[in-house]
């Protein structure tokens, strides 16, 4: 079937008039403009000099980091008004719009949504993202994550996923896709062929999805097929190998020839397009990741991505150099004119499917701050965020009789803060242990935050310093997964783990994890353990209500919070 016919089918569904716009626009572009259109760059500021430099590049799109609403409105208006071909304005809209707008609604991370066991909230996440993104003039969500959190040691998937159950991941991913795209915002399911099996990070190394072809199809394949059938317009390809499918589709491959998703023709053209039937636009994950250059030289890797089936390249190491790599590949015939034009057609078809040319003509492409302030984090959106917090917080283990935690029962609390340094936090996590302390004090508790004491083995403070002066011990951990960090585990103070669980049999101990759901691996004998899947104000308010017995714990863990350890159940 010809490409012109394909873009009239799912997921683009272009009209004859839109198809004409795609091909007329393509035919009017120079070769250099086509090469530039393959790239989606990034913006951190609305500084006009910076934006002028980006606009002069005529790139296909850009991704925004979190900014104030006024800055985002200025950025979007400047870029769209200085772009002959309207741009994609993208963002990592996984848990809400807080990663794009500093006041955007944080609905709840995907694992929190999964913990509600209600697909309605996956739809609500898509709706709220769609409404806020559309108001801000943004049109591409690098979400949902449909990775499956199979390995608790994986340092990057974690709460970004809908958990470890493939059926739930498929259903909730599809619900997000269907809803967000109703608002003129393209979904991008990621990270093909699927993260969460091994314990390595594709930001740092080419990682491996080691499932058999049959296991993959029953899990990741199901998630991708379900979201494709739901109409997802785009797929983000990662730097993750899937050796079983690569070998099945090309039995002659040697081990050293197996490539990760974004560089693999077997995985993109044969598996994703032919086996799973995806007809939309494919973009790489960040091309700055070491998982790309672990596979081959960068000058060869970028053209290989395009030839494998990627239509766009996300970010650059050095834009002029990366443009040169693609330009050289086109001029030498490494990337054929046919392949280049196919990518351009799919990029333009996506813009047409989002009605960007029509919005450019009508003026709808340009956001206003007045409208943004009416939509972003409005009362309805904030109420849904509160509902998700209430429905998701999970009591994983409970010591009989510990609850409710009230000032009458436990007037004196010793709180152990377990938190990454402020410069180490990522994915929206902030220094939030202090916010828990403030809430407890407001409820009337006397809270002492543990500080390491001087001394070493033999002359440490006596146990009675704790047992005589406190009624309850609370641990609050705030360790978020993030790129460039290979392990998310508890670290303890000197000497000899001075802040570890030494008083389990002396008084009640409660462990609260604000981010990582897997800390039972390191505190297996704790008898009361809670996962909140985040630390927003709405989540912390709901947590205090549950601790004090004003609200029931309702969440169900979407993963094995016991990490497979039998003693963690004790």
């Amino acid at each position: 079937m010809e490409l012109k016919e394909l873009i009239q089918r799912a997921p683009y569904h272009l009209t004859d008039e839109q198809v004409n716009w795609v091909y007329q626009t393509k035919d009017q572009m120079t070769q250099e403009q086509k090469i530039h259109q393959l790239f989606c760059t990034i913006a951190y500021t609305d500084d006009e000099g910076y934006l002028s430099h980006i606009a002069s590049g005529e790139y296909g799109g850009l991704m925004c980091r979190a900014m104030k609403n006024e800055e985002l409105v200025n950025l979007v208006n400047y870029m769209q008004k200085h772009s002959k071909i309207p741009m994609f304005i993208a963002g990592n809209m996984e848990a809400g719009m807080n990663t794009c707008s500093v006041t955007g609604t944080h609905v709840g991370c995907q694992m929190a949504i999964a913990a509600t066991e209600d697909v309605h909230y996956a739809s609500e996440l898509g709706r709220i993202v769609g409404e806020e993104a559309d108001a801000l003039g943004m049109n591409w969500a690098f979400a949902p994550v449909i990775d499956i959190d199979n390995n608790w040691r994986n340092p990057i998937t974690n709460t970004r996923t809908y958990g470890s159950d493939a059926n739930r991941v498929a259903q909730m991913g599809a619900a997000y896709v269907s809803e967000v795209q109703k608002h003129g915002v393209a979904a991008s399911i990621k990270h093909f062929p699927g993260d969460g099996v091994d314990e390595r990070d594709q930001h740092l190394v080419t990682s491996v999805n080691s499932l058999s072809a049959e296991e993959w199809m029953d899990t990741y394949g199901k998630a991708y097929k379900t979201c494709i059938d739901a109409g997802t317009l785009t797929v983000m390809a990662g730097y993750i190998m899937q050796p079983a499918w690569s070998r099945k589709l090309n039995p002659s491959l040697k081990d050293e020839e197996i490539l990760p998703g974004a560089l693999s023709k077997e995985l993109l053209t044969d598996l994703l397009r032919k086996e799973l039937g995806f007809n939309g636009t494919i973009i790489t994950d960040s091309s700055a990741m070491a998982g790309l250059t672990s596979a081959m030289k960068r000058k060869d890797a970028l053209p290989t991505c395009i030839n494998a089936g990627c239509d766009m390249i996300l970010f650059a190491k050095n834009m002029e150099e990366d443009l040169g790599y693609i330009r050289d590949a086109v001029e030498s015939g490494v990337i054929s004119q046919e392949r280049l034009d196919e990518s351009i057609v799919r990029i333009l078809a996506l813009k047409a499917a989002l009605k960007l040319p029509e919005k450019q003509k009508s003026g709808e492409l340009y956001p206003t701050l007045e409208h943004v302030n009416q939509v972003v984090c409005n009362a309805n959106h904030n109420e849904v965020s509160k509902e998700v917090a209430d429905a998701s917080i999970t009591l994983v283990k409970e010591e009989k009789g510990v609850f409710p935690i009230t000032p009458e029962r436990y007037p004196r609390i010793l709180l152990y803060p377990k938190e990454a340094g402020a410069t180490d936090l990522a994915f929206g996590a902030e220094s939030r242990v202090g916010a828990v302390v403030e809430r407890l004090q407001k409820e009337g508790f006397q809270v002492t935050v543990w500080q390491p004491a001087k001394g070493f083995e033999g002359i440490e403070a006596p146990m009675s310093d704790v047992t005589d002066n406190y009624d309850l011990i609370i641990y609050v951990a705030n360790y978020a997964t993030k790129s460039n960090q290979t392990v998310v585990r508890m670290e303890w103070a000197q000497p000899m783990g001075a802040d570890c669980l030494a008083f389990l049999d002396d008084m009640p101990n409660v462990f609260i994890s604000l981010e990582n759901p897997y800390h039972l691996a390191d505190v297996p004998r704790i008898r009361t353990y809670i996962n909140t899947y985040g630390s927003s104000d709405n989540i912390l308010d709901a947590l205090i209500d549950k601790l004090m017995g004003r609200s029931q714990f309702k969440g169900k863990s979407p993963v094995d919070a016991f990490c497979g350890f039998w003693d963690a159940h004790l």
Side-chain angles (χ1 to χ4, degrees):
M1 188 180 297
E2 290 188 8
L3 190 57
K4 186 174 287 189
E5 295 178 56
L6 286 175
I7 62 175
Q8 292 180 293
R9 300 187 172 219
Y12 302 114
H13 297 294
L14 300 191
T15 64
D16 290 341
E17 184 178 356
Q18 290 173 320
V19 172
N20 289 337
W21 176 84
V22 168
Y23 278 88
Q24 287 172 6
T25 303
K26 177 184 74 71
D27 292 343
Q28 291 169 5
M29 294 170 71
T30 66
Q31 197 81 316
E32 190 66 16
Q33 286 173 325
K34 290 178 182 179
I35 291 168
H36 283 234
Q37 197 72 194
L38 298 179
F39 285 85
C40 182
T41 186
I42 191 167
Y44 300 88
T45 174
D46 68 338
D47 177 77
E48 192 166 311
Y50 175 75
L51 296 181
S52 174
H53 175 71
I54 295 178
S56 67
E58 298 184 88
Y59 306 114
L62 64 82
M63 193 191 94
C64 299
R65 295 298 188 189
M67 302 179 197
K68 295 178 181 178
N69 289 339
E70 183 177 0
E71 294 171 329
L72 268 175
V73 168
N74 290 341
L75 181 153
V76 172
N77 278 312
Y78 185 94
M79 295 308 302
Q80 297 294 26
K81 288 175 181 177
H82 289 82
S83 299
K84 182 179 179 181
I85 301 172
M87 291 188 75
F88 296 127
I89 309 291
N92 274 333
M93 306 173 193
E94 298 171 11
M97 284 300 291
N98 58 304
T99 51
C100 303
S101 160
V102 293
T103 56
T105 302
H106 176 268
V107 182
C109 70
Q110 290 189 190
M111 192 168 285
I113 301 295
T116 71
E117 295 194 318
D118 191 345
V119 73
H120 164 72
Y121 287 116
S123 294
E124 286 288 80
L125 175 59
R127 175 181 70 86
I128 291 168
V129 163
E131 290 177 359
E132 295 191 6
D134 182 52
L136 287 160
M138 303 183 72
N139 49 48
W140 199 353
F142 290 157
V145 175
I146 60 168
D147 296 324
I148 302 172
D149 210 39
N150 286 313
N151 188 338
W152 68 269
R153 292 181 176 89
N154 188 290
I156 198 67
T157 51
N158 206 273
T159 57
R160 298 173 69 195
T161 74
Y162 288 118
S164 59
D165 181 80
N167 290 322
R168 182 188 290 118
V169 171
Q171 292 166 5
M172 290 191 165
Y176 179 106
V177 166
S178 297
E179 192 60 43
V180 78
Q181 292 190 169
K182 291 178 183 176
H183 302 278
V185 179
S188 185
I189 52 178
K190 62 184 185 182
H191 306 83
F192 188 83
D195 207 346
V197 176
D198 73 359
E199 55 193 77
R200 292 173 290 186
D201 176 5
Q202 60 162 331
H203 294 79
L204 307 175
V205 63
T206 305
S207 58
V208 181
N209 182 316
S210 57
L211 298 183
S212 70
E214 293 74 20
E215 289 170 330
W216 186 92
M217 191 58 81
D218 287 341
T219 53
Y220 290 86
K222 178 183 291 183
Y224 274 93
K225 182 61 176 170
T226 302
C227 290
I228 290 167
D229 291 345
T232 189
L233 283 160
T234 74
V235 169
M236 180 177 285
Y239 308 110
I240 304 159
M241 293 184 282
Q242 216 301 311
W245 266 107
S246 293
R247 291 190 182 102
K248 182 173 182 176
L249 293 165
N250 186 355
S252 66
L253 279 179
K254 300 175 183 177
D255 286 353
E256 61 269 24
E257 295 172 332
I258 295 173
L259 293 172
L263 296 106
S264 170
K265 189 171 184 180
E266 291 83 13
L267 296 181
L268 293 185
T269 300
D270 298 334
L271 178 56
L272 181 58
R273 290 223 185 272
K274 294 179 182 178
E275 293 280 343
L276 298 177
F278 180 64
N279 184 43
T281 304
I282 302 173
I283 185 169
T284 73
D285 203 342
S286 168
S287 68
M289 290 183 179
L292 172 71
T293 48
S294 293
M296 64 177 69
K297 292 179 181 178
R298 188 172 185 83
K299 72 180 183 65
D300 298 322
L302 296 185
T304 298
C305 287
I306 300 299
N307 283 333
C310 291
D311 302 301
M312 293 192 77
I313 295 168
L314 181 59
F315 308 155
K317 277 277 194 179
N318 178 283
M319 185 57 81
E320 291 306 313
E321 186 175 60
D322 285 355
L323 286 167
Y325 292 150
I326 297 296
R327 187 183 302 115
D328 290 346
V330 170
E331 291 175 355
S332 67
V334 170
I335 297 175
S336 69
Q337 189 65 48
E338 181 183 17
R339 177 69 198 102
L340 175 63
D341 285 348
E342 179 188 354
S343 284
I344 295 302
V345 167
R346 289 192 184 277
I347 292 166
L348 296 175
L350 178 57
K351 296 185 177 188
L354 296 172
K355 296 183 170 56
L356 301 189
E358 293 96 320
K359 290 180 177 180
Q360 189 178 50
K361 288 181 181 178
S362 68
E364 293 177 70
L365 202 59
Y366 312 111
T368 66
L369 188 59
E370 181 183 8
H371 181 55
V372 165
N373 289 337
Q374 291 173 352
V375 176
V376 173
C377 205
N378 63 36
N380 170 266
H381 296 177
N382 190 49
E383 186 59 34
V384 174
S385 174
K386 290 179 179 179
E387 290 177 14
V388 170
D390 177 61
S392 62
I393 295 175
T394 304
L395 179 59
V396 178
K397 292 177 71 175
E398 177 185 6
E399 182 176 8
K400 188 175 181 180
V402 168
F403 296 113
I405 294 171
T406 64
E408 293 73 28
R409 298 186 71 203
Y410 309 108
R412 305 166 301 173
I413 294 176
L414 177 61
L415 188 142
Y416 285 87
K418 304 299 299 178
E419 188 163 39
T423 58
D424 296 329
L425 299 168
F427 294 121
E430 301 173 355
S431 179
R432 299 296 281 163
V433 173
V436 176
V437 172
E438 290 172 5
R439 283 167 169 77
L440 290 170
Q441 290 173 332
K442 188 176 180 181
E443 295 289 348
F445 295 97
Q446 299 172 36
V447 183
T448 300
V449 177
W450 181 86
Q451 295 286 340
K454 294 181 180 179
F456 49 87
E457 294 91 329
I459 58 169
E460 292 185 60
M463 299 287 281
S464 58
D465 278 5
V466 171
T467 57
D468 292 350
N469 292 296
Y470 302 102
D471 308 296
L472 174 71
I473 290 175
I474 295 180
Y475 284 82
V476 182
N478 188 30
Y479 292 97
T481 57
K482 60 178 184 144
S483 58
N484 303 323
Q485 172 185 264
T486 55
V487 179
V488 186
R489 300 288 292 274
M490 301 298 300
E491 294 184 12
W492 304 101
Q494 294 293 343
M496 296 294 291
D499 57 345
C500 67
L501 282 63
F503 299 94
L504 284 175
D505 293 311
D506 296 286
M507 65 182 69
N509 284 240
V510 176
F511 193 104
I512 301 165
S513 175
L514 302 181
E515 289 288 340
N516 192 313
Y518 296 120
H519 285 312
L520 277 175
D522 290 316
V523 290
R525 301 306 287 270
I526 193 80
R527 293 167 189 151
T528 302
Y529 179 92
I530 298 164
N531 280 325
T532 70
Y533 314 106
S535 56
S536 69
D537 286 343
N538 286 341
I539 291 170
L540 297 188
D541 290 344
L543 170 66
I544 297 299
D545 283 344
K546 294 177 189 303
L547 292 176
M548 297 191 68
R550 297 191 291 254
S551 172
Q552 298 298 309
F553 288 94
K554 302 169 185 173
K556 303 295 182 184
S557 183
V559 293
D560 175 18
F562 299 94
C563 307
F565 294 113
W566 66 270
D567 58 326
H569 290 270
L570 299 176

